[in-house]
């Protein structure tokens, strides 16, 4: 069943799976709570936008956000992903988990590539902010599903 599929993929089983199931349940509850997720309370410095060339600002912004935990953490799934990477059982499995998470998180940025003006960027940010609650619920559902999978594979 699911356990055999997960084990064949090199994913965590046994005690690591139990630990991840518990952590995923906590992450789902944290995302549903609506409270701020523990982590840094800083953002990328907006003053960089006018101070540095576009590529330098973009690289600095991307590096900080890409690390996932150097700025405000908006979903407990970020911490859950780090735990899953550490408990994966191999460097390759951990890299696959992190790479997949990063890719899925980055895909929405493809739509942002067409934004050509500051006004359009501000409008897009307002739209995204209006959808934050739905995104939080989606993250909680994903964490809950992961909790079920990991519990079944334990």
């Amino acid at each position: 069943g699911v356990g055999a599929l997960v084990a064949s993929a090199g994913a965590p089983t046994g005690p690591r799976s139990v630990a991840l199931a518990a952590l995923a349940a906590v992450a789902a509850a944290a995302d549903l709570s609506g409270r701020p997720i523990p982590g840094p309370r800083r953002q990328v410095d907006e003053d960089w936008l006018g101070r540095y060339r576009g590529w330098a600002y973009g690289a600095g912004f991307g590096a900080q956000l890409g690390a996932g935990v150097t700025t405000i953490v908006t979903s407990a799934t970020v911490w859950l992903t780090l735990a899953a990477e550490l408990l994966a059982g191999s460097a390759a499995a951990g890299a696959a988990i992190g790479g997949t998470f990063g890719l899925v998180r980055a895909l929405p940025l493809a739509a942002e590539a067409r934004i050509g003006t500051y006004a359009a960027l501000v409008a897009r940010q307002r739209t995204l902010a209006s959808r934050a609650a739905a995104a939080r619920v989606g993250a909680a559902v994903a964490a809950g599903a992961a909790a079920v999978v990991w519990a079944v594979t334990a």
Side-chain angles (χ1 to χ4, degrees):
V2 173
L5 178 63
V6 170
S8 70
T13 57
R16 290 179 302 178
S17 190
V18 171
L20 285 168
L23 290 171
V26 169
D31 280 339
L32 285 176
S33 77
R35 291 188 219 131
I37 303 301
R41 304 308 317 157
R42 64 174 288 279
Q43 287 285 39
V44 177
D45 189 346
E46 290 181 9
D47 292 338
W48 289 10
L49 189 57
R51 190 177 305 153
Y52 300 109
R53 295 178 186 257
W55 68 266
Y57 175 78
F61 189 90
Q64 291 180 65
L65 291 179
V69 294
T70 60
T71 59
I72 295 172
V73 176
T74 58
S75 172
T77 57
V78 172
W79 296 114
L80 177 61
T81 299
L82 291 175
E85 291 171 343
L86 290 171
L87 295 171
S90 74
I97 291 167
T100 301
F101 184 78
L103 177 64
V104 170
R105 273 192 86 183
L107 282 176
L109 295 177
E112 313 308 319
R114 292 176 280 182
I115 294 175
T117 66
Y118 181 74
L121 178 62
V122 170
R124 181 66 178 151
Q125 288 176 332
R126 281 193 196 115
T127 299
L128 292 173
S130 72
R131 297 178 181 162
R136 193 171 22 259
V137 169
V141 168
V148 170
V149 169
W150 280 319
V152 167
T153 62

